[in-house]
Each structure stands twice: as C-alpha cells, then as structure tokens.
Amino acid sequence: MANQNLLILGGFGRVGMEAATHLLKNTTANLTLASRTIRAIPSALQSRFGDRIATLQLDVNDEKTLIAACHQADVMISCIGPSGIVGDTVAQVCKKTQTPLVDAGGYDPVWHRLEQAEAITASTIPLIINVGLLPGLSGMFPKYVIDATAQGRKVKQLDVQYVGRDAWSYNSAWDIINGLGDFGNEKGFCFIHRHQMVKVPMRKATNKAHFPDPIGRVSTMLLYAEEITRLAKQYDIETARVFGANIGPRATFVALIAKVFRLYQSRKGIDRAAKWMAKASKKDMRKLAPAYGIQVDITYESGHPVTAQLMLADTYQATGAIMAIATRAVLDGKTAGPGVYSLHEAMTSQRFMQDLEASGLLTFNTAKSIENK
C-alpha cells in the first residue's frame, strides 16, 4: 500500500507541530501542513523528514478549497480554533467528502449537529472529535480505569476531577471561557443521577483533590461534561460527577470574573476574557510549571472503591500526541468504524493508554498498578 496522505490544519501551531512530529516518527505517512499564510517547514523536520512533508496555504472558510484538500487526504487532522468560532465547518466538509477526521475541538454543539446530520445520512468513515485533554483524555482515562477494574461489577458512582495550568494560547483561552457557559447552553453546577441532570447551588458544588507535586492540593468545582454523561449511559452508572479547576492563580481569577459576570454569553465578552486569560496564564508560568492532572474515583455496587490518577506536564505536546495516537488508529483500521465519536468511543481504552504511555509524556500514572493488582 502506498504511503497515506495526512492533512494537518493548523500544522504550524503548537498542537499541530507536535502531532506532525509524532506522526512522522511513528508512521510512514506523508504530511501536508496547512496554514492561512505561507510558512516554512522547521529545519529540524525538514532535514530529517523533508521528503515526506509538504505545505499548503488554506483558509477553512473557503469551502471549495477545503473540499479540494479533503479529496487529496486520507485523513484530515484539525488543530485549528477557537472551536467555538470554527464550529462544524471542517467536520461537515469531511462528512460531505467522506474524509476521516480527527479534530482537537468540536465540543458539544458540533457533536450534536454532526449526530443530527448522521441521522439523515450515515457516514462511511469515522469522524472523531474532542481529541484533546479536556475533552478527550478526560473521557478516555475514566473509561480505561473502569475497563481495567470492573471485572463484571456495576459502577454505582463515578467522580472525575480535572485540573490544569499552562500558558494558554488565545485560542485555548477562548474555548476555556466559552466552556464556562457550556458552549452556549448553560447548565450551571450539576451532576448526572440515573441519567438525569441534577442542579446544585454553588455552595454544594465544591470538591478537593490532591496530586503529587507540582500540583498538590486543589479545590475544584462541579461542571457539566458531555463525554462523561455519555460514558455514564454506556456503563449504566447511577451517579456521575465531574469537577474541574484552572489552577494557575491569575488564570483562575480571570475565569472567576468571566463566570460571575457571564462574559461567556457573547463573543465580545469571550474575546475580552480570553485575552485576559492568555496574558494572565503567561504570567502564572513565570513561577509555576505547566501541569495537568486527572483523578478518577469509582465506587462499585459491591462497595469496592477504586482511585486512579494521571499527570502530565506539557499540555500542548500531550494534545498533539493524543491526536497522533487517534490518527494512527484510523490509519490502522483500529477505530470503532464509521460514524461520529468522541475519543473514548473511537478506540479501545487499553490500546490508547498503551500508546500514550509509550510516548513518555506521563509524569505520574497509578492506573497501571491498579490494573496489575
């Protein structure tokens, strides 16, 4: 079989470049790095993989050009954002051209619109969205812990806590602020009980998590996560709660201001808060190290509790690696098949975690020891 062709939208961004590097090292595929302006291939990649890399000037809002690009690609990898602005533009073109998609964004609105489109015309290829840290790994890791420890037992309660800090780019900050309002469908502080959403007041929406250094002890708040709602339905989990926190102190303050004053309700407000957060998080990283952690607490109906944690340091490098791992599964025909999926639905949790561990990006992981008990 001839080498497959991968097109990376936003290929010169932080995530796109990490995904490209991972794929060049771990596959024989040819890559086209697309961007809105003409860019030069970094010398380190040019010298080692120059015969497998091409560049393309492409604006995704030009549907005709995007369609033409899709016809030349075996897999489309979308690393562009903000997701709330890009929306389902790329996903719908991939569906139209039947080009497999791996998308770092998407989030709830795109998910729902794609599923509506699927109900009308079923895709013959996989469309995998939410392939990042949150959402993405945030759904895959809990699924992995369940798969590794359930042993036929039913999950009574699932608690998942996400914490992270980094020098967020404007695009990342935009999506973080937009997410404070549940991407335009504000649900407030809530959790899932018997597949129904239960709202709680702010005073009852807090939790605590303790991670190894450099994170330590942190406070988290209830939030809605579509992927965990779907995971709860898949495993018939009685109660599922999700907590999160942006743990850079200045970035946290911006998130609080954006939440209190509901800046997430308009594009102007999101833009303003995203600029504040990008600047604030950059200042946070002058004295703090980037970090991301997930804690999963499971209680089975038998009463047996399980706790697992995962940590990594470079959030953008990890996101690129996660996208590359999902892309490799598509290339190998190891996904769930045609249709619309979030990351945890697209491939087996065991394969994904094995590949992520092999990347060397995890700085702490208790799940493997739990699985071996």
Side-chain angles (χ1 to χ4, degrees):
M1 180 185 293
N3 288 354
Q4 291 162 299
N5 298 308
L6 311 179
L7 176 60
I8 304 183
L9 301 178
F12 290 92
R14 292 173 66 183
V15 172
M17 192 55 60
E18 292 293 348
T21 301
H22 186 107
L23 288 164
L24 288 167
K25 290 179 178 178
N26 294 281
T27 75
T28 60
N30 296 314
L31 272 61
T32 298
L33 307 181
S35 58
R36 285 180 295 179
T37 58
I38 298 175
R39 303 283 293 273
I41 299 170
S43 57
L45 293 184
Q46 179 66 50
S47 61
R48 185 176 177 186
F49 304 106
D51 60 333
R52 292 170 52 200
I53 312 175
T55 63
L56 176 67
Q57 186 174 3
L58 175 63
D59 185 341
V60 297
N61 294 311
D62 182 346
E63 184 175 339
K64 183 177 179 181
T65 304
L66 183 59
I67 288 174
C70 279
H71 285 309
Q72 300 300 314
D74 292 301
V75 181
M76 174 73 80
I77 304 166
S78 180
C79 304
I80 57 175
S83 179
I85 294 178
V86 175
D88 61 348
T89 300
V90 175
Q92 293 292 0
V93 168
C94 284
K95 179 173 174 60
K96 182 177 181 178
T97 59
Q98 294 301 284
T99 305
L101 171 67
V102 175
D103 192 339
Y107 302 110
D108 302 0
V110 173
W111 207 340
H112 297 152
R113 286 195 290 270
L114 281 175
E115 289 193 323
Q116 290 170 359
E118 282 292 296
I120 299 172
T121 305
S123 296
T124 61
I125 42 81
L127 300 168
I128 310 172
I129 64 173
N130 298 345
V131 186
L133 293 182
L134 175 62
L137 181 60
S138 51
M140 181 63 86
F141 185 57
K143 184 177 187 296
Y144 174 76
V145 177
I146 294 173
D147 291 343
T149 64
Q151 300 176 344
R153 297 172 296 184
K154 187 176 183 299
V155 178
K156 181 177 178 64
Q157 181 163 324
L158 169 67
D159 284 348
V160 187
Q161 301 197 68
Y162 315 125
V163 298
R165 65 179 177 233
D166 208 328
W168 306 118
S169 67
Y170 169 80
N171 286 352
S172 295
W174 205 102
D175 285 330
I176 290 170
I177 300 299
N178 192 25
L180 294 176
D182 299 310
F183 310 103
N185 187 20
E186 189 173 2
K187 297 177 176 66
F189 302 110
C190 63
F191 64 94
I192 301 301
H193 181 66
R194 294 178 179 172
H195 310 305
Q196 299 295 318
M197 187 172 67
V198 179
K199 292 190 176 184
V200 301
M202 182 175 179
R203 67 180 184 277
K204 295 183 178 181
T206 61
N207 203 344
K208 297 285 186 181
H210 189 275
F211 291 87
D213 290 337
I215 295 178
R217 187 172 179 82
V218 293
S219 297
T220 55
M221 297 288 292
L222 271 176
L223 55 86
Y224 179 82
E226 178 74 15
E227 61 182 347
I228 299 301
T229 298
R230 293 168 71 110
L231 191 66
K233 184 176 181 180
Q234 177 184 351
Y235 287 91
D236 192 26
I237 298 171
E238 182 175 323
T239 302
R241 303 188 303 170
V242 180
F243 301 84
N246 195 330
I247 56 174
R250 291 178 177 84
T252 299
F253 181 71
V254 172
L256 177 63
I257 293 297
K259 185 74 171 179
V260 170
F261 291 97
R262 298 188 176 184
L263 297 180
Y264 51 77
Q265 290 186 334
S266 69
R267 282 202 175 185
K268 183 178 179 180
I270 296 173
D271 173 71
R272 180 184 302 174
K275 290 176 180 176
W276 291 345
M277 178 168 283
K279 184 180 295 186
S281 64
K282 185 177 181 179
K283 290 182 178 179
D284 283 336
M285 293 304 102
R286 291 175 182 173
K287 295 184 178 181
L288 296 171
Y292 180 80
I294 304 176
Q295 177 170 308
V296 176
D297 293 290
I298 299 170
T299 302
Y300 289 101
E301 283 196 333
S302 62
H304 181 72
V306 171
T307 296
Q309 288 185 333
L310 171 152
M311 286 174 54
L312 51 86
D314 190 322
T315 63
Y316 288 92
Q317 185 180 22
T319 300
I322 288 167
M323 296 195 73
I325 290 168
T327 302
R328 287 166 55 195
V330 173
L331 294 175
D332 295 341
K334 299 297 184 180
T335 64
V340 179
Y341 303 100
S342 186
L343 177 63
H344 75 274
E345 300 167 331
M347 59 186 293
T348 65
S349 62
Q350 183 179 28
R351 171 182 170 136
F352 174 85
M353 287 300 299
Q354 286 175 343
D355 287 349
L356 184 60
E357 278 210 82
S359 73
L361 296 176
L362 298 180
T363 59
F364 180 77
N365 182 11
T366 60
K368 188 172 183 179
S369 61
I370 287 174
E371 182 184 19
N372 291 335
K373 286 183 179 180

